[in-house]
Amino acid sequence: MIIQLDPSITEAAQATIEAHIKALKYKVTDVKTQRAHYLVAIGKADVDLRTIGQLPGILDIHQVSDDYQLVSRKWRVRPTVLDLGDGVRVGEGSLTLAAGPCSIENEQQMESIMQHLLDNDVRIMRGGVFKPRSSPYSFRGLGMEGLKLFHQMARARGIKIVTEVMQVSQVEEMHDYVDVFQVGARNTQNFNLLDALGGVDKPVLIKRGISGTIEELLSSAEYVFSGGNEKLTLCERGIRTFETASRNTLDLNAVPILKEKTHLPVIVDPSHGIGIRDYVPSMALAAVMAGADGIIYEAHEKPEEAASDGAQTLNFQESARLIRNLRKVYQLRQELE
């Protein structure tokens, strides 16, 4: 169960509540986030919520049967909407678009992509400065100096940035230069990293693991939430299956399932999901019709010259056409709902 405490609760009142719950053979975890103070209680005994709910200091109480408690929609029916500032929001009620290269390469590249985004009224740019690559000899990003330049240029243009953090030691040094920390598919179950991101007051985008289940993705989000950070977004980016015709299998089934199971925003990455440039727009449009709150994809002025992932990256003409079509399809979805 989840118990929301009064912000002004005394230590004595909280101790009384915890003692009452522990007497029922429940384990209690104290969770303080940017928005509220909770007690998460895990146990098997049947409980009459009314006997607990009437204790002083309790604002609300909910019974949640899922293993993932705090990210479950069973207690927070209203969907979470993240405000990134300057009118940029992620969640139900709008279609959030984010685009950019797989890797940040140089100043000229960033300049051209940012102008492309502004020309198409897209306010979030993706781009990796620390890149996990299958081969140690592939381009692995520009590191912190690249991130600082990325941040400086984006700030001057009113663009928010999302970039991948790969290890605990990077969280603190990256903090002031990112708007959204991205947890990549290879780190979705890096629980030390998830714990560390639970302690920051910055949004976190969690991608589904390469072979991860929906439940595992939700459990990864629970790690961050239980650590104190409610500012979460989930991303379906394709999973590894027996199919070899595409880079991954983009699981669009996951979109409506996640929307039912969690109150968190759900976005889709069709670039990694299918890995073939010609098919990225189709999968992006299908994701919007499936109910996605946003799309994050790869774009580059000259994909054939990109340092990484050129085969799945759209050029600016293809990107502009996709943006127009995504907004048309989103409007159609609203009319059909």
Side-chain angles (χ1 to χ4, degrees):
M1 74 184 100
I2 297 175
I3 299 168
Q4 185 172 347
L5 301 177
D6 190 307
S8 60
I9 191 171
T10 64
E11 290 184 8
Q14 182 173 338
T16 298
I17 296 169
E18 292 185 16
H20 189 100
I21 297 170
K22 290 175 181 177
L24 299 170
K25 307 298 184 184
Y26 273 65
K27 177 185 176 182
V28 181
T29 301
D30 189 355
V31 176
K32 292 182 180 179
T33 73
Q34 305 103 331
R35 299 173 179 172
H37 187 183
Y38 311 98
L39 295 178
V40 179
I42 306 296
K44 296 182 179 180
D46 291 333
V47 176
D48 185 350
L49 297 184
R50 293 169 297 180
T51 63
I52 301 174
Q54 65 187 1
L55 296 173
I58 293 180
L59 286 183
D60 208 354
I61 184 169
H62 301 268
Q63 197 152 23
V64 181
S65 57
D66 298 322
D67 290 336
Y68 45 91
Q69 300 270 312
L70 292 163
V71 304
S72 174
R73 200 158 192 161
K74 289 182 180 178
W75 76 281
R76 184 178 284 178
V77 179
R78 295 182 62 183
T80 292
V81 177
L82 302 182
D83 186 351
L84 304 187
D86 301 322
V88 182
R89 296 162 68 83
V90 183
E92 287 192 19
S94 61
L95 179 67
T96 303
L97 301 180
C102 173
S103 301
I104 296 298
E105 299 165 11
N106 53 58
E107 184 173 352
Q108 185 279 328
Q109 176 221 36
M110 285 188 278
E111 175 70 42
S112 66
I113 291 172
M114 288 181 189
Q115 189 58 53
H116 167 68
L117 297 182
L118 292 174
D119 289 344
N120 290 277
D121 194 25
V122 174
R123 300 284 304 284
I124 305 176
M125 180 171 167
R126 57 160 298 156
V129 294
F130 297 105
K131 293 303 300 178
R133 305 301 302 279
S134 299
S135 169
Y137 308 113
S138 299
F139 178 68
R140 298 168 72 182
L142 297 180
M144 275 304 301
E145 291 308 309
L147 178 58
K148 290 176 181 178
L149 180 60
F150 187 12
H151 172 264
Q152 178 184 343
M153 295 179 65
R155 276 291 175 273
R157 294 160 178 78
I159 290 175
K160 306 298 180 181
I161 62 177
V162 52
T163 193
E164 184 170 354
V165 58
M166 292 175 56
Q167 57 195 43
V168 174
S169 63
Q170 294 171 343
V171 174
E172 184 176 354
E173 64 176 347
M174 292 176 65
H175 182 274
D176 294 342
Y177 302 100
V178 302
D179 295 295
V180 181
F181 281 106
Q182 176 182 304
V183 177
R186 293 173 177 84
N187 272 316
T188 300
Q189 290 188 306
N190 181 342
F191 301 118
N192 290 333
L193 178 59
L194 298 176
D195 281 336
L197 291 170
V200 303
D201 189 18
K202 283 283 178 81
V204 177
L205 184 156
I206 304 178
K207 288 197 166 186
R208 187 174 176 183
I210 293 173
S211 299
T213 66
I214 291 172
E215 296 268 327
E216 287 169 340
L217 175 59
L218 290 165
S219 293
S220 295
E222 188 79 7
Y223 261 86
V224 180
F225 200 133
S226 65
N229 189 353
E230 293 194 33
K231 299 178 180 179
L232 292 163
T233 299
L234 304 178
C235 181
E236 165 58 39
R237 49 80 69 198
I239 52 176
R240 180 174 292 167
T241 67
F242 55 80
E243 184 54 70
T244 59
S246 58
R247 177 173 178 175
N248 293 297
T249 298
L250 186 60
D251 183 13
L252 293 183
N253 294 337
V255 176
I257 292 173
L258 284 168
K259 296 291 290 182
E260 180 182 15
K261 287 181 174 291
T262 180
H263 55 84
L264 300 177
V266 177
I267 69 172
V268 171
D269 177 351
S271 299
H272 286 89
I274 195 162
I276 302 170
R277 180 186 305 136
D278 290 347
Y279 305 146
V280 168
S282 298
M283 300 312 296
L285 296 170
V288 172
M289 287 306 294
D293 297 310
I295 301 294
I296 181 170
Y297 66 95
E298 293 183 341
H300 193 289
E301 185 174 13
K302 298 178 179 178
E304 63 278 5
E305 298 179 7
S308 54
D309 281 357
Q312 64 192 36
T313 300
L314 305 185
N315 63 36
F316 288 172
Q317 182 179 4
E318 294 165 332
S319 173
R321 182 166 57 247
L322 175 59
I323 292 168
R324 292 194 299 270
N325 289 337
L326 285 169
R327 288 170 174 154
K328 290 177 183 177
V329 168
Y330 178 68
Q331 184 176 0
L332 174 61
R333 190 184 91 190
Q334 289 183 303
E335 293 171 359
L336 294 173
E337 289 176 344

